Amino acid sequence: MYMNKFQHDLKLGQAGEDRIAALLCKNYNLTLSGKSTYGTLKDYDMKFTTQKNRSITVEAKTDVYKDDTGNMMIEIKCNGKDSGIRTTKADLWVYYYKNLKHDNVWITSTDKLRKLIASLPTWLNPTSSGDNNGALCFKIPRNEYREWFLVLTLEPEPDQNHQKMVNELFGATKETESGLTIAPNKKGIGKVVFKGKHRDLENPFDGEFITSTIKRLYR
């Protein structure tokens, strides 16, 4: 049972990372150059490259709870060992609230978040959380500390049936190593579906990556 829950949570976390990566690439012209799978990277979750060839690393957290408490949970220990904000070497800390429609992505530098934690009043001391209370976390009422973050809204995820609709319209799809989902050409147009985005090109691998909402696929 525990392993099933762990695998489920891991899958949700990885899906959240994909959405965060797509947002950062689109909004800030970054290129995803590295991504952790469980156990492969401990210093950060994702690595990006800027247009000036500078590396930026990101620690990404996904909140999947349906009931929003208004808090941001910042882990400092897990099963008695330092973890989370105490051990990450990421440049940025990104928190994604999957079930919020607005203000669902909160971004700050890791150093700034550490300064925020150091300045918190004593009544916000860390509390036990997670499975079997194995994690020790600061519970930060995020709207009270909003000025410490860049707050963005990530548009809702596509309908869960969108892949079926894409297949019906454009034929069966396949996954590539890059993480793109590619549908075969129909009517002379290559279709690339990427986490609810797509581009229309004669050759799916030529030209810039131009995105638009998934709704265009159904017109």
Coordinates of all heavy atoms in Angstrom, one line a residue, residues 3 10 15 26 53 75 82 98 109 120 123 156 163-164 166 169 173-174 179 183 186 199-200 206 208 215:
M3 N 4.0 1.6 -1.0 CA 4.7 1.7 -2.3 C 3.7 2.3 -3.4 O 4.1 3.1 -4.2 CB 5.3 0.4 -2.7 CG 6.1 0.5 -4.1 SD 7.4 1.7 -4.0 CE 8.6 1.0 -2.9
L10 N 4.8 10.2 -6.6 CA 5.9 10.4 -7.5 C 5.5 10.8 -8.9 O 6.0 11.7 -9.5 CB 6.8 9.2 -7.5 CG 8.1 9.3 -8.4 CD1 9.0 10.4 -7.9 CD2 8.8 8.0 -8.4
A15 N 4.6 14.9 -13.0 CA 3.7 15.7 -13.9 C 3.7 17.2 -13.6 O 3.7 18.0 -14.5 CB 2.3 15.1 -13.7
K26 N 8.4 28.7 -21.6 CA 7.6 29.6 -22.4 C 7.8 31.1 -22.0 O 8.0 32.0 -22.8 CB 6.1 29.2 -22.3 CG 5.2 30.2 -23.0 CD 3.7 29.7 -22.8 CE 2.8 30.7 -23.5 NZ 1.4 30.4 -23.2
N53 N 23.4 31.2 -22.4 CA 24.1 29.9 -22.0 C 24.4 29.9 -20.5 O 25.4 29.2 -20.2 CB 25.3 29.7 -22.9 CG 25.7 28.3 -23.0 OD1 24.8 27.4 -23.1 ND2 27.0 28.0 -23.1
E75 N 9.8 21.8 3.6 CA 10.4 20.7 4.3 C 11.9 21.0 4.7 O 12.6 21.6 3.9 CB 10.4 19.5 3.5 CG 10.9 18.2 4.1 CD 10.9 17.0 3.2 OE1 9.7 16.6 2.9 OE2 11.9 16.4 2.9
D82 N 18.4 16.0 7.4 CA 18.1 17.2 6.8 C 17.7 17.0 5.3 O 18.2 16.1 4.6 CB 19.4 18.1 6.7 CG 19.7 18.7 8.1 OD1 18.8 18.7 9.0 OD2 20.8 19.2 8.3
K98 N -1.5 22.5 -7.8 CA -2.2 21.9 -8.9 C -3.7 22.1 -9.0 O -4.3 22.3 -10.1 CB -2.0 20.3 -8.8 CG -2.7 19.5 -9.9 CD -2.3 18.0 -9.7 CE -3.1 17.0 -10.4 NZ -3.8 17.4 -11.6
S109 N 13.9 32.8 -5.2 CA 15.2 32.2 -5.1 C 15.3 31.4 -3.8 O 14.7 31.7 -2.8 CB 16.3 33.3 -5.2 OG 16.3 34.0 -4.0
L120 N 10.9 34.3 10.2 CA 9.6 33.9 10.6 C 9.5 34.1 12.2 O 10.4 33.8 12.9 CB 9.2 32.5 10.2 CG 9.1 32.3 8.7 CD1 8.9 30.8 8.5 CD2 7.9 33.0 8.2
W123 N 6.0 31.6 16.5 CA 4.8 30.8 16.4 C 4.7 30.0 15.1 O 3.8 29.1 15.0 CB 3.6 31.7 16.6 CG 3.3 32.7 15.5 CD1 3.8 34.0 15.5 CD2 2.5 32.5 14.4 NE1 3.3 34.6 14.4 CE2 2.5 33.8 13.7 CE3 1.8 31.5 13.8 CZ2 1.9 34.0 12.5 CZ3 1.1 31.7 12.6 CH2 1.2 32.9 12.0
P156 N -5.3 25.9 -16.4 CA -5.7 24.6 -16.0 C -5.2 23.5 -17.0 O -5.0 23.8 -18.2 CB -7.2 24.6 -16.0 CG -7.5 26.1 -15.8 CD -6.4 26.8 -16.6
Q163 N -6.1 13.3 -25.0 CA -5.2 12.5 -25.8 C -6.1 11.6 -26.8 O -5.7 11.4 -27.9 CB -4.4 11.5 -24.9 CG -3.4 10.7 -25.7 CD -2.4 11.6 -26.4 OE1 -1.6 12.4 -25.8 NE2 -2.3 11.5 -27.8
K164 N -7.2 11.1 -26.3 CA -8.1 10.3 -27.1 C -8.6 11.2 -28.3 O -8.7 10.7 -29.4 CB -9.3 9.8 -26.3 CG -10.3 9.0 -27.1 CD -11.4 8.6 -26.2 CE -12.5 7.8 -27.0 NZ -13.6 7.4 -26.1
V166 N -7.1 13.8 -29.6 CA -6.0 14.0 -30.5 C -5.8 12.8 -31.4 O -5.6 13.0 -32.6 CB -4.7 14.3 -29.7 CG1 -3.5 14.3 -30.6 CG2 -4.8 15.7 -29.0
L169 N -8.4 12.7 -34.1 CA -8.2 13.8 -35.1 C -7.0 13.5 -36.0 O -7.1 13.8 -37.2 CB -8.1 15.1 -34.5 CG -9.4 15.7 -33.9 CD1 -9.1 16.9 -33.0 CD2 -10.4 16.1 -35.0
T173 N -0.5 8.4 -31.5 CA 0.8 9.2 -31.2 C 1.8 8.3 -30.6 O 1.6 7.2 -30.2 CB 0.5 10.3 -30.2 OG1 0.0 9.7 -29.0 CG2 -0.6 11.3 -30.8
K174 N 3.0 8.8 -30.6 CA 4.1 8.1 -29.9 C 5.0 9.1 -29.2 O 5.1 10.2 -29.5 CB 5.0 7.3 -31.0 CG 5.7 8.2 -31.9 CD 6.6 7.4 -32.9 CE 7.3 8.3 -33.8 NZ 8.2 7.5 -34.7
G179 N 10.5 13.9 -24.9 CA 9.3 14.2 -24.1 C 8.2 14.7 -24.9 O 7.1 14.9 -24.4
A183 N 2.3 13.1 -33.4 CA 1.3 12.4 -34.2 C 1.7 12.4 -35.7 O 2.4 13.3 -36.1 CB -0.1 13.1 -34.1
K186 N -1.0 14.3 -41.3 CA -2.3 14.1 -42.0 C -2.6 15.4 -42.7 O -2.4 16.5 -42.1 CB -3.4 13.8 -41.0 CG -3.4 12.3 -40.6 CD -4.8 11.9 -40.0 CE -4.8 10.4 -39.8 NZ -6.1 9.9 -39.3
R199 N 2.2 22.6 -31.9 CA 2.7 23.5 -33.0 C 2.4 22.8 -34.4 O 2.3 21.6 -34.4 CB 4.2 23.7 -32.9 CG 5.1 22.4 -33.0 CD 6.6 22.7 -33.0 NE 7.3 21.5 -33.0 CZ 8.6 21.5 -32.9 NH1 9.3 22.6 -32.8 NH2 9.3 20.3 -32.9
D200 N 2.1 23.6 -35.4 CA 1.8 23.1 -36.7 C 3.0 23.4 -37.6 O 3.2 24.5 -38.0 CB 0.5 23.7 -37.3 CG -0.7 23.5 -36.4 OD1 -0.6 22.5 -35.6 OD2 -1.6 24.2 -36.5
D206 N 11.6 21.2 -37.2 CA 12.2 22.4 -37.8 C 11.5 23.6 -37.2 O 10.4 23.6 -36.9 CB 12.0 22.4 -39.3 CG 12.9 21.4 -40.0 OD1 13.9 20.9 -39.4 OD2 12.6 21.1 -41.2
E208 N 11.0 27.2 -34.9 CA 10.9 27.6 -33.5 C 9.7 26.7 -32.9 O 8.8 26.3 -33.6 CB 10.6 29.1 -33.3 CG 11.7 30.0 -33.7 CD 12.9 29.8 -32.9 OE1 12.8 29.6 -31.7 OE2 14.0 29.9 -33.4
K215 N -7.0 23.9 -27.2 CA -8.3 24.1 -27.8 C -8.2 24.2 -29.3 O -9.2 23.9 -30.0 CB -8.9 25.4 -27.2 CG -9.3 25.2 -25.7 CD -10.0 26.5 -25.2 CE -10.3 26.3 -23.7 NZ -10.8 27.6 -23.2

